[in-house]
Amino acid sequence: MPPHRNGSLSVASLQEFVLEGFEGGLETQALLFAVFLALYLGTVLGNLTMIVVLTQDARLHSPMYFFLKNLSFLDLCYSSVIAPNALANFFSSSKVITFEGCATQLFFFSLLGTTEAFLLNVMAYDRFMAICSPLHYPITMCPSACTRLVLGNFCAGCLNSIVQTASTFSLPFCSSNHIDHFFCDVTPLLRLACASTAINELLLFGLCGLIVVGTTLLVLVSYGYITVTILRMQSGAGRHKVFSTCGSHMMAVSLFYGTGFVMSAQPGAVESMEQGKVVSVFYTLVIPMLNPLIYSLRNKDVKEALWKLSQKHTAL
């Protein structure tokens, strides 16, 4: 790749990036590889199991579990966009990703992350309708309505992803082709641009902030009404069941949106790349691995379905 006279890379010849990943020697890289592999295998196994269980058990063919199955699908795809390439780079001498490959990775990472943010919001709305308006629930959350909500989430995620990817890769990258991260994300890519990134940073902060803050507020409003309704219940057993069901979702929401707030609102986010890498591991690998555990361990119906599935395979 021929350099400019000032030593920077030519925009016209830029065809690949180098993902620098994490610092450290061979032992550190081996340890990180083992951690990433364990997290990714846990994510794949947990989310595939959830999808199979929720598909096979007829008792779980309700709107709540339909959205949960889509959440598992998103988590599985979300990690798969990042983890395989990161694992391959731990022991790679080049750590190269093509310009097109980097753009594709950023597009799907943004698409799936945004879609999950909206889906968690829809799941809160589903619980709100089921608890606060049970008579209207079968009509409001009919199968066609649930399908449209999920498709709407994907469309919104796709729109945000197109804007983020197009605005980022319209910049000239000529200062370097070394990305200080383990995957292609907007923030480390902006550091490589040799043009003003003020509009890109404003767009990133504005869209991500709007999505995170907007969806969080809607979730809080939904659960505010849910809490009031639960406290009015006369039955202690019914109150406990509802709290248990909603508690799983609130835990998943807190993990996802909490990480989103850290990434969107941390001071000097563009400069603090080492901190950004650690947080990125959390939301690309840890949260997708934890979600199946959160929903299965706290949900009696899912636990019974898992038990039935294991018994069936044992009998075979």
Side-chain angles (χ1 to χ4, degrees):
M1 196 176 295
H4 276 293
R5 284 193 295 266
N6 63 0
S8 63
L9 297 171
S10 167
V11 179
S13 64
L14 183 58
Q15 298 177 348
E16 60 188 30
F17 291 103
V18 177
L19 292 167
E20 293 187 347
F22 292 89
E23 296 179 355
L26 189 60
E27 290 185 359
T28 302
Q29 298 301 310
L31 176 61
L32 288 170
F33 176 85
V35 171
F36 269 60
L37 182 60
L39 291 173
Y40 183 57
L41 289 177
T43 299
V44 172
L45 181 62
N47 285 290
L48 279 179
T49 302
M50 286 293 286
I51 291 171
V52 171
V53 167
L54 296 175
T55 301
Q56 289 191 350
D57 197 313
R59 297 175 306 163
L60 304 181
H61 292 177
S62 65
M64 181 176 75
Y65 296 113
F66 172 74
F67 294 131
L68 181 54
K69 183 164 66 173
N70 278 277
L71 178 66
S72 292
F73 173 74
L74 282 173
D75 281 335
L76 179 61
C77 295
Y78 193 49
S79 288
S80 296
V81 168
I82 307 299
N85 186 71
L87 287 167
N89 283 341
F90 277 118
F91 297 112
S92 171
S93 57
S94 62
K95 303 180 186 293
V96 166
I97 184 170
T98 64
F99 188 90
E100 294 78 11
C102 188
T104 302
Q105 188 180 58
L106 174 60
F107 175 82
F108 282 105
F109 165 70
S110 179
L111 165 65
L112 295 165
T114 307
T115 303
E116 181 160 337
F118 285 118
L119 181 62
L120 288 170
N121 195 64
V122 168
M123 292 172 75
Y125 174 72
D126 171 71
R127 291 299 82 208
F128 163 75
M129 289 301 301
I131 296 167
C132 301
S133 186
L135 296 178
H136 294 96
Y137 181 73
I139 300 172
T140 307
M141 303 304 291
C142 64
S144 60
C146 293
T147 302
R148 286 196 298 270
L149 283 169
V150 171
L151 289 176
N153 290 337
F154 273 99
C155 289
C158 188
L159 180 62
N160 177 61
S161 183
I162 289 172
V163 172
Q164 296 288 1
T165 306
S167 63
T168 301
F169 281 89
S170 64
L171 292 168
F173 298 106
C174 53
S175 61
S176 171
N177 68 334
H178 286 252
I179 300 175
D180 187 16
H181 215 307
F182 62 92
F183 67 95
C184 292
D185 197 5
V186 175
T187 302
L189 281 166
L190 294 183
R191 292 166 62 93
L192 306 184
C194 55
S196 173
T197 61
I199 294 177
N200 298 77
E201 290 178 31
L202 184 63
L203 189 65
L204 175 65
F205 182 80
L207 285 176
C208 291
L210 181 64
I211 291 168
V212 173
V213 174
T215 52
T216 302
L217 286 176
L218 288 173
V219 168
L220 291 176
V221 169
S222 296
Y223 273 94
Y225 280 105
I226 289 171
T227 302
V228 171
T229 304
I230 291 173
L231 293 176
R232 288 175 179 171
M233 288 182 176
Q234 301 298 321
S235 169
R239 193 183 302 133
H240 175 75
K241 182 178 180 180
V242 173
F243 263 126
S244 178
T245 303
C246 295
S248 300
H249 184 251
M250 279 304 296
M251 194 178 298
V253 166
S254 300
L255 287 171
F256 187 85
Y257 288 141
T259 309
F261 273 118
V262 170
M263 289 302 293
S264 301
Q266 63 175 337
V270 175
E271 290 76 23
S272 180
M273 292 311 303
E274 289 304 315
Q275 180 185 356
K277 290 178 194 177
V278 175
V279 178
S280 296
V281 173
F282 195 78
Y283 67 72
T284 58
L285 289 168
V286 177
I287 292 177
M289 182 199 68
L290 289 177
N291 278 342
L293 294 174
I294 292 171
Y295 282 101
S296 61
L297 294 178
R298 293 180 59 88
N299 190 297
K300 182 181 177 182
D301 294 334
V302 175
K303 284 192 288 187
E304 288 179 357
L306 283 168
W307 175 254
K308 282 177 60 179
L309 183 65
S310 64
Q311 291 295 100
K312 185 186 296 185
H313 283 281
T314 303
L316 294 175

